């Protein structure tokens, strides 16, 4: 869907919504906190700009919006040990988590 020297964005192979894209930095980062602590300013800026470009390409930047999710660690249900951001949209997604 989109790629540059630092980030790749592509459609998820098991979509959970009509629009489901993953944005992944090419550097070896395990999680959001690892990325934030260790990535260069250029990597962080490019990643967020790529997310914005991807949302614009997909038509998600308007009033209906989207959800961005990253999972970290066991409690966060992280399945892949590389930082990635899920971008979901195209319908009402419901509550993110159940109330405690």
């Amino acid at each position: 869907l989109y790629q540059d020297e630092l980030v790749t964005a592509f459609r998820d192979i098991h979509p959970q919504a009509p629009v489901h894209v993953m944005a992944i930095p090419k550097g070896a980062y395990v999680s959001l906190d690892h990325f934030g602590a260790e990535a260069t300013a250029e990597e962080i800026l490019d990643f967020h700009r790529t997310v914005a470009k991807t949302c614009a390409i997909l038509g998600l930047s308007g009033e209906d919006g989207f959800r961005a999710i990253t999972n970290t660690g066991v409690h966060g249900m992280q399945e892949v040990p590389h930082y990635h951001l899920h971008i979901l949209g195209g319908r009402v997604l419901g509550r993110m988590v159940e109330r405690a």
Side-chain angles (χ1 to χ4, degrees), residues 25-31 34 38 43 81-83:
K26 292 183 179 179
Y29 302 105
V30 176
S31 60
H34 181 219
E38 301 290 331
E43 288 175 302
H82 188 94
Y83 174 52

Side-chain angles (χ1 to χ4, degrees), residues 57-68:
I57 289 167
L58 296 168
L60 298 176
S61 296
E63 184 177 311
D64 288 340
F66 60 94
R67 178 171 292 154

